[in-house]
Amino acid sequence: MQQSVLTTVMLPAALALIMFGLGLSLTLGDFARVATRPKAVIVALVAQVLVLPAACFGLVVLFGLDPLLAVGMMLLAASPGGTTANLYSHLFGGDVALNITLTAVNSVLAAFTLPVVVNLSLNHFLGDGQDIGLQADKVVQVFAIVLVPVVIGMLVRRLSVRFADRMDKPVRILSALVLAAVIVGAIVQERERLGGYIAAVGLVALLFSVISLTVGYWLPRLFKVERRQAIASGMEIGIHNSTLAITIALSPSLLANSTMAVPPAVYGVLMFGTTLVFGYLVRRRAGLAEPEERLPAEA
Protein backbone atom coordinates (compact mmCIF):
# COMPACT_ATOMS: atom_id res chain seq x y z
CA MET A 1 0.00 0.00 0.00
CA GLN A 2 2.82 2.34 0.91
CA GLN A 3 4.52 1.79 -2.43
CA SER A 4 1.21 2.27 -4.24
CA VAL A 5 0.67 5.66 -2.60
CA LEU A 6 4.23 6.66 -3.45
CA THR A 7 3.95 5.76 -7.11
CA THR A 8 0.37 6.76 -7.82
CA VAL A 9 0.21 10.01 -5.86
CA MET A 10 3.60 11.32 -4.75
CA LEU A 11 5.54 10.46 -7.89
CA PRO A 12 3.28 12.29 -10.37
CA ALA A 13 3.09 15.16 -7.90
CA ALA A 14 6.87 15.37 -7.69
CA LEU A 15 7.31 15.45 -11.45
CA ALA A 16 4.52 17.98 -11.90
CA LEU A 17 6.18 20.24 -9.33
CA ILE A 18 9.61 19.84 -10.90
CA MET A 19 8.40 20.64 -14.41
CA PHE A 20 6.22 23.47 -13.08
CA GLY A 21 9.28 24.88 -11.30
CA LEU A 22 11.21 24.72 -14.56
CA GLY A 23 8.43 26.61 -16.30
CA LEU A 24 8.57 29.33 -13.64
CA SER A 25 12.10 30.16 -14.81
CA LEU A 26 11.38 30.16 -18.56
CA THR A 27 9.98 32.74 -20.98
CA LEU A 28 9.23 32.73 -24.69
CA GLY A 29 12.43 34.71 -25.09
CA ASP A 30 14.41 31.64 -24.03
CA PHE A 31 13.05 29.81 -27.07
CA ALA A 32 13.61 32.84 -29.30
CA ARG A 33 17.33 32.80 -28.48
CA VAL A 34 17.66 29.75 -30.74
CA ALA A 35 17.72 32.17 -33.68
CA THR A 36 20.62 34.14 -32.19
CA ARG A 37 22.93 31.16 -31.69
CA PRO A 38 21.71 28.49 -34.12
CA LYS A 39 24.97 26.56 -34.52
CA ALA A 40 25.52 26.02 -30.79
CA VAL A 41 21.91 24.96 -30.27
CA ILE A 42 21.74 22.66 -33.30
CA VAL A 43 25.01 20.88 -32.47
CA ALA A 44 23.93 20.39 -28.85
CA LEU A 45 20.53 19.04 -29.86
CA VAL A 46 22.07 16.60 -32.36
CA ALA A 47 24.33 15.33 -29.57
CA GLN A 48 21.38 15.04 -27.19
CA VAL A 49 18.89 13.40 -29.53
CA LEU A 50 21.09 11.23 -31.78
CA VAL A 51 24.67 10.77 -30.59
CA LEU A 52 24.09 9.96 -26.92
CA PRO A 53 21.30 7.38 -27.38
CA ALA A 54 23.52 5.67 -29.96
CA ALA A 55 26.50 5.74 -27.58
CA CYS A 56 24.36 4.42 -24.73
CA PHE A 57 23.05 1.61 -26.91
CA GLY A 58 26.61 0.63 -27.74
CA LEU A 59 27.53 0.56 -24.04
CA VAL A 60 24.62 -1.61 -22.90
CA VAL A 61 25.20 -4.07 -25.75
CA LEU A 62 28.96 -4.17 -25.11
CA PHE A 63 28.48 -4.87 -21.40
CA GLY A 64 25.55 -7.23 -21.96
CA LEU A 65 23.25 -5.56 -19.44
CA ASP A 66 20.11 -7.26 -18.21
CA PRO A 67 17.28 -6.21 -20.59
CA LEU A 68 15.39 -4.21 -17.96
CA LEU A 69 18.55 -2.37 -16.90
CA ALA A 70 19.37 -1.78 -20.57
CA VAL A 71 15.99 -0.12 -21.11
CA GLY A 72 16.59 1.97 -17.98
CA MET A 73 19.88 3.21 -19.41
CA MET A 74 18.24 4.06 -22.74
CA LEU A 75 15.48 5.90 -20.88
CA LEU A 76 18.18 7.94 -19.14
CA ALA A 77 19.96 8.66 -22.43
CA ALA A 78 16.71 9.91 -23.97
CA SER A 79 15.97 12.24 -21.05
CA PRO A 80 16.78 15.94 -21.55
CA GLY A 81 19.32 17.88 -19.54
CA GLY A 82 18.59 18.62 -15.91
CA THR A 83 18.25 22.10 -14.44
CA THR A 84 21.39 21.39 -12.36
CA ALA A 85 23.31 22.05 -15.58
CA ASN A 86 22.65 25.78 -15.18
CA LEU A 87 24.42 25.82 -11.81
CA TYR A 88 27.43 23.83 -12.99
CA SER A 89 27.69 25.95 -16.12
CA HIS A 90 27.79 29.12 -14.01
CA LEU A 91 30.40 27.67 -11.64
CA PHE A 92 32.76 26.68 -14.44
CA GLY A 93 32.36 29.65 -16.76
CA GLY A 94 29.79 28.43 -19.26
CA ASP A 95 27.24 30.49 -21.16
CA VAL A 96 24.28 30.17 -18.78
CA ALA A 97 21.93 31.92 -21.23
CA LEU A 98 22.63 29.10 -23.69
CA ASN A 99 21.87 26.57 -20.94
CA ILE A 100 18.49 28.18 -20.37
CA THR A 101 17.76 28.09 -24.10
CA LEU A 102 18.77 24.43 -24.39
CA THR A 103 16.72 23.51 -21.32
CA ALA A 104 13.68 25.20 -22.81
CA VAL A 105 14.03 23.55 -26.22
CA ASN A 106 14.94 20.13 -24.79
CA SER A 107 11.94 20.15 -22.46
CA VAL A 108 9.63 20.41 -25.46
CA LEU A 109 11.63 18.16 -27.77
CA ALA A 110 11.84 15.34 -25.20
CA ALA A 111 8.06 14.99 -25.20
CA PHE A 112 8.41 13.67 -28.77
CA THR A 113 11.83 11.96 -28.80
CA LEU A 114 11.79 10.18 -25.44
CA PRO A 115 8.81 7.90 -26.21
CA VAL A 116 10.40 6.95 -29.54
CA VAL A 117 13.72 5.94 -27.98
CA VAL A 118 12.04 4.04 -25.13
CA ASN A 119 9.66 2.21 -27.49
CA LEU A 120 12.54 1.11 -29.73
CA SER A 121 14.52 0.00 -26.67
CA LEU A 122 11.61 -2.01 -25.28
CA ASN A 123 11.10 -3.75 -28.60
CA HIS A 124 14.81 -4.53 -29.00
CA PHE A 125 15.74 -5.64 -25.48
CA LEU A 126 12.46 -7.21 -24.34
CA GLY A 127 10.46 -8.03 -27.47
CA ASP A 128 8.23 -11.11 -27.36
CA GLY A 129 5.18 -8.85 -27.26
CA GLN A 130 5.72 -7.78 -23.67
CA ASP A 131 3.15 -5.11 -23.00
CA ILE A 132 4.99 -2.88 -20.54
CA GLY A 133 6.03 -0.18 -22.96
CA LEU A 134 4.95 3.28 -23.94
CA GLN A 135 2.00 2.62 -26.20
CA ALA A 136 0.23 5.35 -28.19
CA ASP A 137 -1.88 6.50 -25.26
CA LYS A 138 1.16 6.51 -23.02
CA VAL A 139 3.09 8.65 -25.49
CA VAL A 140 0.37 11.25 -24.98
CA GLN A 141 0.77 10.86 -21.22
CA VAL A 142 4.51 11.48 -21.42
CA PHE A 143 3.84 14.55 -23.54
CA ALA A 144 1.39 15.83 -20.93
CA ILE A 145 3.67 15.03 -17.99
CA VAL A 146 6.67 16.79 -19.52
CA LEU A 147 5.09 19.73 -21.30
CA VAL A 148 1.85 20.78 -19.60
CA PRO A 149 3.38 21.71 -16.20
CA VAL A 150 6.12 23.67 -18.00
CA VAL A 151 3.54 25.66 -19.96
CA ILE A 152 1.56 26.37 -16.78
CA GLY A 153 4.72 27.58 -15.05
CA MET A 154 5.52 29.86 -17.98
CA LEU A 155 2.00 31.29 -17.88
CA VAL A 156 2.35 31.99 -14.16
CA ARG A 157 5.63 33.80 -14.82
CA ARG A 158 4.03 35.83 -17.59
CA LEU A 159 1.24 36.91 -15.24
CA SER A 160 3.53 37.72 -12.31
CA VAL A 161 7.32 37.63 -12.50
CA ARG A 162 7.61 38.54 -8.82
CA PHE A 163 5.38 35.64 -7.76
CA ALA A 164 7.27 33.23 -10.04
CA ASP A 165 10.61 34.28 -8.56
CA ARG A 166 9.25 33.99 -5.03
CA MET A 167 7.84 30.50 -5.67
CA ASP A 168 10.91 29.12 -7.43
CA LYS A 169 12.85 28.04 -4.33
CA PRO A 170 9.89 26.58 -2.34
CA VAL A 171 8.78 24.57 -5.39
CA ARG A 172 12.29 23.16 -5.85
CA ILE A 173 12.56 22.18 -2.17
CA LEU A 174 9.11 20.58 -2.03
CA SER A 175 9.58 18.61 -5.24
CA ALA A 176 12.98 17.38 -4.02
CA LEU A 177 11.48 16.16 -0.74
CA VAL A 178 8.64 14.33 -2.46
CA LEU A 179 11.01 12.77 -4.96
CA ALA A 180 13.35 11.68 -2.15
CA ALA A 181 10.44 9.88 -0.49
CA VAL A 182 9.64 8.08 -3.75
CA ILE A 183 13.26 7.02 -4.30
CA VAL A 184 13.53 5.72 -0.73
CA GLY A 185 10.36 3.70 -1.30
CA ALA A 186 11.80 2.24 -4.49
CA ILE A 187 15.08 1.38 -2.73
CA VAL A 188 13.20 -0.37 0.04
CA GLN A 189 11.29 -2.40 -2.51
CA GLU A 190 14.48 -3.42 -4.34
CA ARG A 191 16.80 -3.63 -1.31
CA GLU A 192 17.58 -7.35 -1.73
CA ARG A 193 18.76 -6.86 -5.32
CA LEU A 194 20.22 -3.35 -5.03
CA GLY A 195 23.85 -4.45 -4.55
CA GLY A 196 23.70 -6.59 -7.65
CA TYR A 197 22.12 -3.80 -9.66
CA ILE A 198 24.86 -1.33 -8.69
CA ALA A 199 27.54 -3.89 -9.56
CA ALA A 200 25.86 -4.55 -12.90
CA VAL A 201 25.16 -0.99 -14.02
CA GLY A 202 27.62 1.18 -12.05
CA LEU A 203 30.47 1.04 -14.57
CA VAL A 204 28.12 1.57 -17.53
CA ALA A 205 26.51 4.58 -15.81
CA LEU A 206 29.95 6.03 -15.02
CA LEU A 207 31.20 5.58 -18.59
CA PHE A 208 28.01 7.05 -19.99
CA SER A 209 28.40 10.12 -17.79
CA VAL A 210 31.97 10.62 -19.02
CA ILE A 211 30.96 10.11 -22.65
CA SER A 212 28.03 12.52 -22.31
CA LEU A 213 30.20 15.29 -20.88
CA THR A 214 32.96 14.69 -23.43
CA VAL A 215 30.63 14.67 -26.44
CA GLY A 216 28.70 17.64 -25.08
CA TYR A 217 31.87 19.74 -24.95
CA TRP A 218 34.04 18.52 -27.81
CA LEU A 219 31.42 18.10 -30.53
CA PRO A 220 30.60 21.85 -30.43
CA ARG A 221 34.32 22.65 -30.33
CA LEU A 222 34.84 20.58 -33.48
CA PHE A 223 32.24 22.81 -35.14
CA LYS A 224 34.08 25.95 -33.94
CA VAL A 225 31.54 26.83 -31.26
CA GLU A 226 32.96 29.38 -28.80
CA ARG A 227 34.45 27.87 -25.63
CA ARG A 228 31.94 29.26 -23.12
CA GLN A 229 29.08 27.95 -25.23
CA ALA A 230 30.85 24.56 -25.48
CA ILE A 231 31.11 24.42 -21.69
CA ALA A 232 27.40 25.19 -21.43
CA SER A 233 26.65 22.48 -23.98
CA GLY A 234 28.86 20.01 -22.10
CA MET A 235 26.94 20.62 -18.89
CA GLU A 236 23.52 20.53 -20.57
CA ILE A 237 24.25 17.36 -22.54
CA GLY A 238 26.30 15.73 -19.79
CA ILE A 239 23.82 16.17 -16.95
CA HIS A 240 20.79 14.09 -17.88
CA ASN A 241 17.50 14.55 -16.08
CA SER A 242 17.61 11.41 -13.96
CA THR A 243 14.56 12.66 -12.06
CA LEU A 244 12.42 12.49 -15.18
CA ALA A 245 13.80 9.05 -16.07
CA ILE A 246 13.09 7.68 -12.58
CA THR A 247 9.58 9.11 -12.66
CA ILE A 248 8.72 7.53 -16.01
CA ALA A 249 10.21 4.20 -14.93
CA LEU A 250 8.25 4.03 -11.67
CA SER A 251 4.96 5.63 -12.74
CA PRO A 252 2.13 3.04 -12.79
CA SER A 253 0.58 4.66 -15.87
CA LEU A 254 3.85 4.47 -17.83
CA LEU A 255 6.57 1.82 -17.40
CA ALA A 256 5.77 0.80 -13.80
CA ASN A 257 9.08 -1.01 -13.40
CA SER A 258 11.41 -0.32 -10.46
CA THR A 259 14.34 -2.16 -12.10
CA MET A 260 14.33 0.35 -14.96
CA ALA A 261 14.68 3.13 -12.38
CA VAL A 262 17.99 1.72 -11.10
CA PRO A 263 20.29 3.02 -13.89
CA PRO A 264 19.12 6.66 -13.67
CA ALA A 265 19.29 6.47 -9.85
CA VAL A 266 22.88 5.16 -9.93
CA TYR A 267 23.81 7.70 -12.61
CA GLY A 268 22.25 10.49 -10.56
CA VAL A 269 24.78 9.81 -7.78
CA LEU A 270 27.86 9.22 -9.95
CA MET A 271 27.39 12.20 -12.26
CA PHE A 272 28.14 14.72 -9.50
CA GLY A 273 31.72 13.48 -9.28
CA THR A 274 32.30 13.18 -13.03
CA THR A 275 30.81 16.64 -13.63
CA LEU A 276 33.06 18.26 -11.03
CA VAL A 277 36.15 16.65 -12.59
CA PHE A 278 34.98 17.68 -16.07
CA GLY A 279 34.33 21.25 -14.91
CA TYR A 280 37.78 21.50 -13.36
CA LEU A 281 39.47 20.20 -16.51
CA VAL A 282 37.67 22.51 -18.94
CA ARG A 283 38.16 25.47 -16.61
CA ARG A 284 41.86 24.70 -16.40
CA ARG A 285 42.05 24.32 -20.18
CA ALA A 286 40.28 27.64 -20.60
CA GLY A 287 42.84 29.24 -18.28
CA LEU A 288 45.60 28.02 -20.60
CA ALA A 289 43.82 29.26 -23.72
CA GLU A 290 44.66 32.30 -25.77
CA PRO A 291 43.74 35.63 -24.10
CA GLU A 292 40.74 36.24 -26.36
CA GLU A 293 39.27 32.87 -25.36
CA ARG A 294 39.84 33.18 -21.64
CA LEU A 295 36.84 33.18 -19.34
CA PRO A 296 35.79 36.32 -17.51
CA ALA A 297 37.32 36.43 -14.03
CA GLU A 298 33.92 36.63 -12.36
CA ALA A 299 32.46 33.59 -14.21
Side-chain angles (χ1 to χ4, degrees):
M1 178 65 178
Q2 180 182 14
Q3 183 67 17
S4 176
V5 172
L6 285 172
T7 56
T8 60
V9 179
M10 297 181 71
L11 188 60
L15 182 59
L17 280 169
I18 290 167
M19 301 312 289
F20 173 72
L22 175 61
L24 288 176
S25 65
L26 296 176
T27 67
L28 291 177
D30 296 323
F31 294 90
R33 289 195 189 98
V34 173
T36 66
R37 55 193 76 194
K39 183 164 67 172
V41 172
I42 290 171
V43 172
L45 291 179
V46 168
Q48 178 78 59
V49 175
L50 298 177
V51 178
L52 290 186
C56 185
F57 180 80
L59 280 176
V60 299
V61 170
L62 178 65
F63 283 84
L65 284 191
D66 173 87
L68 291 174
L69 294 176
V71 174
M73 281 299 305
M74 293 304 297
L75 170 60
L76 173 68
S79 299
T83 54
T84 311
N86 297 352
L87 173 61
Y88 277 100
S89 184
H90 173 71
L91 289 176
F92 294 106
D95 185 344
V96 179
L98 177 60
N99 282 107
I100 295 173
T101 299
L102 289 173
T103 299
V105 176
N106 268 333
S107 298
V108 175
L109 194 60
F112 301 94
T113 59
L114 191 148
V116 173
V117 173
V118 174
N119 262 325
L120 291 174
S121 302
L122 287 164
N123 290 332
H124 179 83
F125 292 109
L126 296 172
D128 299 326
Q130 295 196 41
D131 189 23
I132 64 172
L134 293 170
Q135 306 305 320
D137 59 328
K138 295 183 178 181
V139 171
V140 176
Q141 292 180 41
V142 173
F143 182 85
I145 287 173
V146 173
L147 191 57
V148 171
V150 173
V151 172
I152 294 174
M154 292 177 65
L155 288 174
V156 170
R157 183 170 188 84
R158 184 173 180 84
L159 292 173
S160 176
V161 174
R162 181 177 299 179
F163 176 78
D165 289 339
R166 190 165 63 245
M167 288 297 296
D168 182 64
K169 186 175 181 179
V171 167
R172 288 174 186 267
I173 293 174
L174 181 59
S175 59
L177 290 175
V178 176
L179 179 66
V182 174
I183 293 174
V184 169
I187 290 174
V188 169
Q189 184 185 37
E190 297 292 323
R191 60 187 179 278
E192 295 181 359
R193 296 181 289 270
L194 192 59
Y197 286 153
I198 293 176
V201 80
L203 180 57
V204 176
L206 179 64
L207 289 174
F208 182 62
S209 178
V210 173
I211 290 172
S212 298
L213 291 163
T214 303
V215 169
Y217 176 78
W218 281 109
L219 188 61
R221 291 299 286 164
L222 287 175
F223 282 88
K224 308 300 182 183
V225 171
E226 186 266 328
R227 188 181 301 277
R228 291 186 68 236
Q229 293 186 347
I231 292 174
S233 173
M235 296 301 180
E236 192 71 29
I237 304 306
I239 302 178
H240 298 267
N241 195 333
S242 57
T243 298
L244 178 63
I246 291 170
T247 301
I248 292 174
L250 294 179
S251 177
S253 62
L254 296 172
L255 295 174
N257 190 287
S258 55
T259 303
M260 293 181 187
V262 172
V266 172
Y267 165 88
V269 175
L270 297 177
M271 68 95 178
F272 287 106
T274 54
T275 304
L276 287 173
V277 173
F278 166 78
Y280 167 77
L281 292 175
V282 295
R283 181 76 187 212
R284 185 173 181 271
R285 182 179 179 83
L288 298 174
E290 294 298 321
E292 63 269 19
E293 282 201 272
R294 290 186 180 178
L295 300 173
E298 68 274 12

